[in-house]
Amino acid sequence: MKYKSLVAVLLLGIVLSLVNSCKMKEIENEEILFVGTYTNNGSEGIYRYNFNLETGQLKNKTLAAAIKNPSYLTLSPDKNTMYAVSEVDDFKEDDGSITTFRVKDTVLIEVDVKSTYGANPCYVGVNESGDLVAVANYTGGNVAVYSAAHNGNLNPSPQIIDHKILDTTKTAHAHMAKFINGELFVSDLGLDRIEKYRKTDGQFSTSEQKELVVAEGAGPRHFVSSKDEKFIYVINELNSTITVFGLDDEKYYAIETQETTASNFEGESFCADIHLSSDGKFLYGTNRGENTIVIFEVDQATGKLKLLGRESVKGDWPRNFSIDPSENFILVANQRSNNIVVFKRNIELGTLSFVSQVDLPSPVCLKFN
């Protein structure tokens, strides 16, 4: 009996070990996805999913943080801090807000909430060292640049860069603020330009090349740079185009502009988000209205684009999208059809094929932890 009991115990131990091993393997094959939403359609804030890197399935939806209109999320370089804007105009004196969360074991712990000093913030960017955080206020027409402590907390009294004073004939709409090579680039949809700022004596002021200009009425929304920062790709919301800028003698010049919608498409369409694959070979952008992802092949020597095709997003009004850490999948947030769609990405060809989808009210921002 003792011998049989010992054998039973040993067998049980082996089984438990195998089970735990399988669980560990499953965890190793998963990434955490945070989703920002608009909260006027049944959503409550920021949601968390487990994303399977083998199957492309999203599961285990949980509410990570109850917060109003977290339309854009950004993680610090060490991924210990998340910044979420609340796209509102009533936080304080017609301002929006930015909330700082501590990320602990993939759980969000609220630390602080501050004003963005402008209405309807729609983007937050963090520099490579994590000590600067910039928020673009769309309706406010300005940018708030915060210094951040070593633990990610935002220090009070940010620098406010006002775009409303730059043009008296147009309405400023700061839409994206991103740090590139030590400078701050800010796309302004209303001014049809990307402003450039350099930090001098603790404050950001106009760089030597003060701006990158796109076509009148194009409406630059988001942009992405190549790894070597020789090229910048700007997706223009209002005329559904992508403009390519190339670096020459420390200044960026427009190289070409490509249409994002099909020539036979009828109706209104507005671009949203843009991303490069990490190898720099493929560029993707979303079309709201045509409801597609446009796919380009990138000539890495010249920066120029070659159209590969478009893929239906299996939903309505695609906003932000994300290439997963394995780069085998692309996930799209469809705001109006209330779903997140997963596509398998062919790494060699750049093409996409539908995998799965999950329902969620008004998803607009996807960030992997």
Side-chain angles (χ1 to χ4, degrees):
M1 291 293 292
K2 290 183 178 180
Y3 175 76
K4 290 183 178 180
S5 297
L6 178 60
V7 171
V9 169
L10 289 173
L11 288 173
L12 179 60
I14 292 171
V15 170
L16 289 174
S17 177
L18 288 171
V19 169
N20 289 332
S21 176
C22 291
K23 286 182 178 179
M24 286 299 293
K25 186 176 181 181
E26 182 179 349
I27 292 171
E28 288 172 1
N29 287 331
E30 289 185 348
E31 293 285 346
I32 300 301
L33 177 71
F34 290 107
V35 183
T37 66
Y38 284 125
T39 53
N40 56 356
N41 188 34
S43 170
E44 296 180 67
I46 302 171
Y47 290 83
R48 174 190 178 278
Y49 286 89
N50 290 67
F51 179 70
N52 190 297
L53 296 174
E54 291 185 351
T55 66
Q57 300 293 320
L58 288 165
K59 61 181 183 179
N60 299 336
K61 182 185 79 172
T62 58
L63 179 63
I67 175 177
K68 187 175 181 180
N69 288 351
S71 65
Y72 203 84
L73 319 172
T74 293
L75 287 157
S76 60
D78 61 11
K79 296 191 175 183
N80 290 329
T81 304
M82 174 183 282
Y83 302 104
V85 297
S86 283
E87 193 173 326
V88 298
D89 60 4
D90 58 357
F91 174 72
K92 180 182 179 183
E93 299 177 358
D94 300 323
D95 294 343
S97 64
I98 179 170
T99 302
T100 302
F101 293 97
R102 193 75 63 241
V103 184
K104 185 174 178 59
D105 299 326
T106 71
V107 174
L108 299 183
I109 302 170
E110 184 176 320
V111 175
D112 191 19
V113 184
K114 284 184 167 59
S115 169
T116 62
Y117 297 87
N120 296 309
C122 58
Y123 191 94
V124 53
V126 184
N127 70 341
E128 290 184 356
S129 58
D131 62 346
L132 292 172
V133 177
V135 179
N137 292 302
Y138 182 82
T139 307
N142 63 7
V143 181
V145 184
Y146 300 84
S147 63
H150 69 278
N151 61 358
N153 291 1
L154 298 180
N155 296 318
S157 303
Q159 178 186 355
I160 307 301
I161 302 174
D162 191 2
H163 279 194
K164 295 187 295 296
I165 63 175
L166 299 180
D167 195 316
T168 58
T169 63
K170 296 181 177 181
T171 302
H173 290 302
H175 213 307
M176 180 177 182
K178 184 176 182 179
F179 297 93
I180 300 176
N181 194 25
E183 292 188 315
L184 176 63
F185 289 64
V186 180
S187 60
D188 196 301
L189 184 143
L191 303 185
D192 293 318
R193 64 189 82 161
I194 295 177
E195 299 293 335
K196 286 179 62 183
Y197 301 97
R198 175 169 292 175
K199 193 173 185 180
T200 306
D201 298 327
Q203 293 284 299
F204 281 92
S205 57
T206 303
S207 299
E208 182 179 351
Q209 182 187 11
K210 66 177 183 179
E211 59 191 13
L212 284 62
V213 180
V214 298
E216 185 81 11
R221 181 182 173 95
H222 282 192
F223 55 91
V224 63
S225 65
S226 58
K227 274 189 175 180
D228 58 10
E229 297 166 349
K230 289 183 178 179
F231 303 105
I232 291 178
Y233 301 89
V234 182
I235 195 161
N236 300 303
E237 176 178 332
L238 302 182
N239 70 354
S240 297
T241 62
I242 292 174
T243 302
V244 183
F245 288 89
L247 186 64
D248 184 27
D249 194 24
E250 298 186 356
K251 293 184 179 180
Y252 287 98
Y253 298 91
I255 296 174
E256 66 169 354
T257 296
Q258 293 271 4
E259 301 283 340
T260 64
T261 55
S263 58
N264 61 354
F265 172 75
E266 296 181 358
E268 288 189 323
S269 192
F270 304 91
C271 290
D273 200 11
I274 186 169
H275 291 286
L276 269 171
S277 58
S278 65
D279 58 14
K281 293 181 179 180
F282 302 103
L283 182 73
Y284 302 87
T286 43
N287 291 307
R288 296 172 296 170
E290 188 185 56
N291 292 333
T292 60
I293 295 185
V294 63
I295 308 166
F296 290 97
E297 184 178 7
V298 181
D299 185 319
Q300 295 180 77
T302 66
K304 290 187 175 182
L305 304 176
K306 176 185 176 182
L307 178 66
L308 293 181
R310 297 172 183 83
E311 186 72 28
S312 168
V313 296
K314 311 292 184 184
D316 187 16
W317 220 247
R319 286 280 297 254
N320 176 242
F321 67 98
S322 181
I323 303 175
D324 84 300
S326 73
E327 304 225 4
N328 288 317
F329 299 93
I330 282 182
L331 292 78
V332 183
N334 290 316
Q335 179 185 346
R336 292 183 178 175
S337 55
N338 305 309
N339 65 336
I340 301 169
V341 179
V342 182
F343 294 91
K344 180 75 173 180
R345 190 178 84 92
N346 187 311
I347 293 179
E348 297 300 322
L349 302 177
T351 53
L352 305 177
S353 55
F354 173 76
V355 174
S356 64
Q357 72 94 39
V358 295
D359 295 329
L360 183 70
S362 303
V364 289
C365 185
L366 307 175
K367 288 291 179 180
F368 281 97
N369 185 32

